Amino acid sequence: MHDVLWPESSRWETFVATFAALAESAAYGLVKTPVIEDAAVFRRGIGDASDVVGKEMYEFTDRDGTMLALRPEGTASVVRAYLQHRPVLPWKAWYETPMFRHERPQAGRYRQHHQVGIEALGAVDPDLDVEVIWVADRFFRALGLHRYSLSINSMGDATCRPAYIELLTEYLRAHADELCEEHRGRIDANPMRVLDCKRPECRAVTDGVPHLVDHLCPDCATHLERVRAGLEALGIAAEVEHRLVRGFDYYTRTTFEFNSGAIESAQNGIGGGGRYDGLAEAMGGPPTPGVGFGIGIERVLLACDAEGCFASPPAPLDAYVVDLVDGTVARDLSVALRDAGLRVDRAFDRRSVKAQMKGADRSGALAALIIGPEESTAGTVTLRPLRGGGDQRAVPIGEVATALLALRGEP
Ligand SMILES: [Zn+2]
Ligand SMILES: [Zn+2]
């Protein structure tokens, strides 16, 4: 887990604000759900057999004996909220939240990490899948990222997936000796997981497996075609990756992942998601289709650093008040200026002029406002520009706000 301090935190603020503006431009509204849920929400929503629930979820017993869990991913919570409140469908929501997983430390992954994401419930239309992918792609562009790629695949559905799984199992059994140690004995438990394995032994085998996209039922095939056509129409390049399957049981049809080419690591996924038409039912609600994604904030910021984009310097202060009398003018003037829409800090503890000027310099403010005995008597301040030159001058107290706005370049 980690702390985020200023000025790095100001980059986070801009990150989330940029995402919010984009999601809201497509009519996704903010949803805030509790970080702690009944553990059953995730056990039913993600599946006991998944690594996320089985090995990584933070679970604990509450004082009254209830099993609770810290949220390990976003979708199950949002679907739980939908089932509880039943907003009108289609329902489109975005979130920004910490996630908790007790996993091995790796680049850009923390046991408390943070994600932004969207979920859209209540429509099976493949154009909605395209809209969801577009939001993610447009967001990465807005941050200035270029070196990333999009992989998509179809997970099929209840009509066509069972037959494919049989085919896949048969193939993997025939090559069982060649699989990695972890998967040699675990083909039957979840053969799709072998596709996800990054070890070279398993990769060599899965190079030759039958592709799910070649065994889709007509409805799933039509869905995938429409998604691909939509992405092409929007100028979003996507490659079909036959091994792209998701670890959660509820995913159906479209699944996708964005990978950064700038991060030097096998762990270069910067966001991913897909369709989960079976989830609401699995959680005890009526059948409700859905599609969404999650984007890891830490991982994306690593990609930004690697590409040298989205530095997002904090907004500078307009003024720093240096009061050499008794702090009264600093107290009152800084508030008056903030009320006028300016960003202002001041010195405390009646430090020496040298110490206060050092503080002004370090603050990055555009100007220092100096109040000494003479200014105090005359009802003025000395405005000393700290950035971009210009001479210092006396300004009547009542005109300081106007003078600072002029300095900032605004009338
Ligand atoms: Zn393996
Ligand atoms: Zn199908």
Side-chain angles (χ1 to χ4, degrees):
M1 303 191 189
H2 67 125
D3 302 309
V4 184
L5 306 186
W6 193 87
E8 172 68 4
S9 56
S10 88
R11 191 153 83 126
W12 282 58
E13 287 183 283
T14 313
F15 187 100
V16 175
T18 305
F19 185 79
L22 185 56
E24 286 169 8
S25 82
Y28 292 75
L30 174 64
V31 61
K32 293 185 79 73
T33 61
V35 165
I36 299 174
E37 298 257 5
D38 196 314
V41 168
F42 304 113
R43 292 198 162 278
R44 284 208 275 172
I46 303 172
D48 287 324
S50 67
D51 280 355
V52 171
V53 170
K55 297 181 188 165
E56 298 168 355
M57 191 161 77
Y58 280 89
E59 247 181 317
F60 60 96
T61 313
D62 200 2
R63 288 172 186 278
D64 62 5
T66 321
M67 276 307 278
L68 299 179
L70 296 180
R71 169 171 42 223
E73 61 89 58
T75 307
S77 299
V78 173
V79 172
R80 193 271 310 141
Y82 164 72
L83 292 174
Q84 194 171 334
H85 304 283
R86 298 296 172 93
V88 175
L89 294 174
W91 183 53
K92 305 206 289 187
W94 74 271
Y95 61 80
E96 185 261 325
T97 181
M99 305 289 183
F100 302 86
R101 292 187 194 178
H102 196 276
E103 58 185 345
R104 272 188 317 174
Q106 47 185 289
R109 268 296 158 96
Y110 298 92
R111 288 180 177 169
Q112 174 176 334
H113 73 283
H114 300 79
Q115 289 188 14
V116 291
I118 61 176
E119 310 291 350
L121 300 180
V124 293
D125 195 329
D127 287 358
L128 184 57
D129 307 26
V130 174
E131 177 179 287
V132 162
I133 294 171
W134 171 84
V135 170
D137 182 72
R138 191 53 62 94
F139 176 59
F140 292 141
R141 300 268 170 218
L143 297 180
L145 291 171
H146 292 284
R147 293 173 56 197
Y148 64 87
S149 57
L150 167 64
S151 305
I152 64 167
N153 196 13
S154 174
M155 298 275 289
D157 62 3
T159 307
C160 52
R161 188 155 47 180
Y164 171 75
I165 287 189
E166 249 174 62
L167 208 63
L168 176 66
T169 308
E170 204 174 298
Y171 185 92
L172 293 175
R173 276 209 199 105
H175 294 81
D177 297 346
E178 303 155 43
L179 295 174
C180 79
E181 209 160 313
E182 185 189 345
H183 290 119
R184 212 168 290 158
R186 284 185 50 191
I187 299 172
D188 294 315
N190 192 346
M192 298 283 260
R193 296 289 284 282
V194 181
L195 293 177
D196 209 21
C197 182
K198 302 279 189 286
R199 294 189 192 95
E201 309 93 285
C202 278
R203 296 288 289 193
V205 174
T206 54
D207 275 341
V209 294
H211 297 161
L212 180 44
V213 290
D214 297 329
H215 299 273
L216 296 173
C217 64
D219 285 350
C220 287
T222 307
H223 191 98
L224 179 61
E225 272 322 299
R226 178 75 188 176
V227 170
R228 296 189 67 182
L231 293 175
E232 201 180 325
L234 298 182
I236 301 171
E239 288 285 329
V240 172
E241 168 51 62
H242 304 289
R243 280 179 284 224
L244 178 62
V245 293
R246 308 211 70 91
F248 303 140
D249 297 340
Y250 53 73
Y251 277 98
T252 51
R253 295 189 177 167
T254 311
T255 179
F256 59 93
E257 188 170 79
F258 288 89
N259 292 98
S260 168
I263 302 178
E264 302 283 331
S265 163
Q267 301 292 334
N268 66 353
I270 50 174
R275 186 163 271 287
Y276 45 84
D277 293 347
L279 178 56
E281 232 177 329
M283 291 178 71
T288 313
V291 56
F293 67 72
I295 286 175
I297 298 182
E298 286 89 348
R299 196 78 76 83
V300 172
L301 290 176
L302 271 184
C304 289
D305 291 341
E307 288 203 36
C309 64
F310 192 62
S312 181
L317 285 183
D318 293 299
Y320 189 96
V321 185
V322 172
D323 188 331
L324 305 169
V325 184
D326 65 353
T328 306
V329 175
R331 181 192 67 196
D332 301 341
L333 180 61
S334 54
V335 167
L337 293 175
R338 289 167 193 158
D339 282 344
L342 293 153
R343 297 166 57 96
V344 179
D345 199 4
R346 52 159 294 197
F348 291 97
D349 290 337
R350 299 196 208 171
R351 316 265 316 267
S352 68
V353 62
K354 198 177 152 200
Q356 292 199 38
M357 284 311 298
K358 205 168 154 189
D361 226 34
R362 208 166 26 210
S363 75
L366 296 174
L369 304 173
I370 305 159
I371 299 113
E374 277 172 44
E375 286 90 345
S376 182
T377 311
T380 61
V381 304
T382 296
L383 188 157
R384 182 187 293 177
L386 298 172
R387 306 267 171 276
D391 293 330
Q392 71 173 37
R393 61 201 162 93
V395 179
I397 287 255
E399 293 168 23
V400 174
T402 315
L404 287 172
L405 286 171
L407 206 65
R408 205 202 244 178
E410 291 172 22

